[in-house]
Amino acid sequence: MSIDWSWMSDHTDDLTALTVSHLQAALSAVLFGLLISLPLAVVAHRIRPLRGFLLGMSNVLFTIPSIAVFVLLLPVSGLTRTTTVIGLTIYTLVVLLRNTVEGLDSVPTKTKEAARAMGTRPLRTLLTVELPLALPVIMAGVRIATVMSISLVSVATYIGDGGLGQLFTDGFQRNFPTPVIAGVALTLLLAVVADALLVAVQYVLTPWTRRRA
Amino acid sequence: MYELFTDLGSWLTSGEQWSGPDGIAHRLAEHLQYSLLATLVAAAIGLPLGLLIGHTGRGAFLAINLASFGRALPTVGLVVLVFLASGLSMWPVYVALVALAVPAIVTNTYAGMRAVDPDVRDAARGQGMRGHQVLLQVELPLALPLIMTGLRLALIQVVATATIAAYVSFGGLGRYVFDGLAQRDLVQVLGGAVLVALVAVALDLALSALQRALFRHRTA
């Protein structure tokens, strides 16, 4: 199985466009995943009986094969980018919800009591004390969700989207490995770069974790 | 939407749907075969690797990066790539599923080993235990809950992903998903997806029951 380098150089524009579209889908999913899972995590953290239900639900969603999720969304959102993003968002929820709840759980009760004793309102405590302290664990979830989404976008190739995944269908149909190799390599590259950037973001956002080390 | 669910109900319950080589019973057996074999092979590779890394403390960098690499590797691409390299065989499916499962098993095993209290390890050594005795009699039992979590996670992912076997013209419950997709038959797609989810949940429950049975003597 050899790589056809001239195909690569002839298709740099296509490869760039697919990479950009791939990244857009993955990042939108993580963003929507965060917007949905943050409030749900707060609810699961505060109201114990709902915790098991919410985490259990997200686990069950995780077991449905991604191909099926995309196809089942077709009657709702059609052969569009929306379908890809909704499908991916569902997958990010498991990781984001679990990690955000765990992050909130990890904030010491004494810290919260201190905030309350100083007269800080619950919402303000959440925003300025609990969420920042939970950030390392939440960010661990964001990193996993981002890398996972980047790898999963390809599955949407079955519904005609899928960013770099289209290279897999192309290579499979023509029995031509080069686009498949390019697609796998670019996906891995995207994931590595995105993960490194998130580590940098976390470093900037949590200065207090650095002093100890 | 309501109609879809009643159709799904009759699809799942009709007798003819369950029998024959295209029947649910046969597809279910195929799906279980792919999933369990792949998870077993992945465990045979991942468990010793994770235990070794955790026990010696060497190669932690490898374990952590293997995890991100495994999550980033697009399964569809891997299946197609191995398919183009090896031709029409079961290799692509097993390679992809094992590659998917190994990182989850290695990292959880490693995390479990690392969570063992160093004092306990020292105490075991102080009593004159050898390296392998410490590993097998002290570290392994203490790390078992996290190891089992890794195995369960790996199995769920493998069961959901084994659907892909049908893409390169093999069996399993993915057949309903891909055939339904080709025929624009949503009921069939939904049926396949529901069955896969049920299998994943059932296997997860079975493993968690096994885990509880294994630990009954240790939980206070």
Side-chain angles (χ1 to χ4, degrees):
Chain A
M1 200 159 36
S2 56
I3 303 176
D4 183 348
W5 289 104
S6 65
W7 181 91
M8 294 269 206
S9 52
D10 288 346
H11 291 81
T12 39
D13 288 352
D14 295 336
L15 291 176
T16 314
L18 287 174
T19 307
V20 171
S21 129
H22 195 101
L23 196 60
Q24 271 173 353
L27 293 186
S28 325
V30 176
L31 206 63
F32 285 120
L34 271 175
L35 286 177
I36 297 168
S37 62
L38 272 178
L40 283 181
V42 172
V43 169
H45 172 68
R46 298 261 165 101
I47 309 169
R48 289 282 142 167
L50 281 176
R51 181 201 177 92
F53 172 75
L54 286 172
L55 291 177
M57 277 299 290
S58 65
N59 271 333
V60 170
L61 284 177
F62 192 65
T63 62
I64 304 173
S66 40
I67 303 153
V69 171
F70 289 130
V71 175
L72 292 172
L73 285 167
L74 289 182
V76 184
S77 43
L79 283 167
T80 60
R81 182 35 73 85
T82 318
T83 305
T84 312
V85 174
I86 297 178
L88 289 175
T89 303
I90 290 176
Y91 278 90
T92 65
L93 284 182
V94 197
V95 183
L96 291 175
L97 189 62
R98 195 188 328 120
N99 275 59
T100 311
V101 172
E102 269 172 25
L104 290 173
D105 286 350
S106 73
V107 178
T109 319
K110 282 180 182 160
T111 314
K112 284 182 265 181
E113 282 170 352
R116 202 192 314 156
M118 284 167 51
T120 317
R121 302 269 175 111
L123 183 65
R124 209 182 141 83
T125 309
L126 178 72
L127 294 178
T128 60
V129 178
E130 293 180 75
L131 280 180
L133 286 178
L135 209 58
V137 186
I138 297 178
M139 282 301 286
V142 173
R143 286 175 60 192
I144 296 175
T146 307
V147 172
M148 212 177 66
S149 295
I150 289 177
S151 128
L152 267 180
V153 176
S154 333
V155 179
T157 185
Y158 303 120
I159 58 157
D161 191 6
L164 294 164
Q166 288 173 37
L167 297 170
F168 305 152
T169 322
D170 183 40
F172 182 58
Q173 282 164 354
R174 293 195 288 146
N175 201 3
F176 178 43
T178 301
V180 186
I181 296 169
V184 172
L186 284 170
T187 309
L188 289 176
L189 186 70
L190 268 189
V192 170
V193 173
D195 198 47
L197 284 177
L198 285 173
V199 173
V201 169
Q202 184 181 347
Y203 185 81
V204 173
L205 287 181
T206 57
W208 60 89
T209 56
R210 270 174 265 158
R211 261 173 245 144
R212 247 176 270 146
Chain B
M1 207 62 186
Y2 172 75
E3 231 172 89
L4 197 64
F5 283 106
T6 49
D7 286 350
L8 175 68
S10 43
W11 187 85
L12 279 173
T13 48
S14 84
E16 59 194 290
Q17 196 61 252
W18 278 84
S19 54
D22 293 332
I24 296 174
H26 183 231
R27 295 291 179 218
L28 191 69
E30 287 175 332
H31 205 93
L32 283 174
Q33 187 200 319
Y34 305 157
S35 308
L36 294 179
L37 190 59
T39 310
L40 272 179
V41 173
I45 299 169
L47 283 179
L49 202 59
L51 287 175
L52 201 67
I53 292 171
H55 181 68
T56 59
R58 278 186 220 129
F61 182 78
L62 173 87
I64 292 159
N65 284 293
L66 185 70
S68 328
F69 183 78
R71 270 193 289 268
L73 200 62
T75 314
V76 188
L78 192 58
V79 168
V80 172
L81 207 57
V82 182
F83 178 84
L84 293 181
S86 70
L88 195 69
S89 68
M90 276 306 286
W91 275 101
V93 179
Y94 282 117
V95 168
L97 293 181
V98 170
L100 183 79
V102 166
I105 295 173
V106 172
T107 46
N108 271 275
T109 307
Y110 163 71
M113 293 290 283
R114 221 180 45 163
V116 174
D117 189 342
D119 288 348
V120 175
R121 207 174 294 158
D122 288 345
R125 282 198 194 282
Q127 287 189 330
M129 277 192 178
R130 301 280 181 94
H132 68 275
Q133 288 174 313
V134 177
L135 172 65
L136 293 176
Q137 293 171 26
V138 179
E139 292 176 306
L140 183 64
L142 288 173
L144 213 54
L146 266 174
I147 295 176
M148 287 297 286
T149 307
L151 285 174
R152 285 167 59 183
L153 189 70
L155 187 60
I156 285 199
Q157 279 182 313
V158 165
V159 169
T161 312
T163 318
I164 224 157
Y167 182 62
V168 282
S169 69
F170 286 98
L173 295 168
R175 274 258 71 90
Y176 301 121
V177 175
F178 281 100
D179 292 350
L181 188 56
Q183 298 156 13
R184 299 276 151 204
D185 176 5
L186 262 186
V187 176
Q188 202 181 338
V189 178
L190 189 64
V194 167
L195 286 170
V196 173
L198 285 178
V199 170
V201 172
L203 286 177
D204 191 46
L205 287 177
L207 269 187
S208 93
L210 179 72
Q211 187 179 351
R212 267 198 305 277
L214 283 174
F215 286 108
R216 199 177 297 141
H217 63 288
R218 289 205 320 114
T219 41

